[in-house]
Amino acid sequence: MNRPNIPSNIPRQVLAFQRQVLEFQRAAFENGYDAIVALQDRQLELADRMMNQVPNLPDEARDLIQTWRGAAQEGQRQFKNTIDGSFDAVTSYLDRLSDGDAGDEATEQAPPEPQVQEETVE
């Protein structure tokens, strides 16, 4: 399998700038993710409040809403883990470049792949 050659003459200033860009992107993701999670949590609170105000709501509907809640929370967790794994992979790659491992050894290794969690079906 052909792997791209990793340049060994990347100036440290360029690597430092790439780290700053990566940290900015990570912070932007974290802020956006936290906002989305807050909205979803609020939606779940409203669903709970609505369920508690309807005494004649069938048990099947309550179970459906609880299943939906679990799926939403699991989806949030898997999405966050996948994105964090991607950021970690790029960080590791930049670390290898900045540590001077960009010689022959680095051309034989591919950057680490982000770990993806498999979905579980209940």
Side-chain angles (χ1 to χ4, degrees):
M1 174 163 74
N2 290 337
R3 294 189 179 132
N5 289 333
I6 299 173
S8 60
N9 58 351
I10 299 174
R12 296 221 182 266
Q13 293 169 333
V14 172
L15 292 173
F17 177 72
Q18 289 299 322
R19 284 182 192 284
Q20 289 175 344
V21 169
L22 184 64
E23 288 307 312
F24 172 78
Q25 290 174 340
R26 186 184 295 251
F29 168 76
E30 291 290 335
N31 290 334
Y33 177 80
D34 290 344
I36 289 170
V37 168
L39 287 172
Q40 287 180 338
D41 288 346
R42 181 69 175 147
Q43 185 179 21
L44 293 174
E45 289 174 18
L46 292 173
D48 285 343
R49 196 178 302 166
M50 182 181 67
M51 273 194 331
N52 292 335
Q53 291 178 358
V54 181
N56 297 339
L57 189 66
D59 289 338
E60 293 84 13
R62 291 181 194 277
D63 291 343
L64 177 65
I65 291 173
Q66 290 302 326
T67 301
W68 169 66
R69 170 190 291 270
Q73 290 171 339
E74 179 65 18
Q76 286 174 359
R77 187 188 63 74
Q78 289 179 356
F79 177 69
K80 179 85 164 77
N81 288 342
T82 300
I83 298 298
D84 285 345
S86 297
F87 278 120
D88 292 343
V90 174
T91 300
S92 173
Y93 183 71
L94 289 175
D95 287 345
R96 283 191 13 233
L97 287 175
S98 66
D99 288 343
D101 291 339
D104 295 331
E105 180 182 326
T107 59
E108 297 174 7
Q109 298 176 355
E113 293 291 325
Q115 294 181 356
V116 178
Q117 300 288 330
E118 291 188 22
E119 293 186 27
T120 57
V121 178
E122 293 182 25

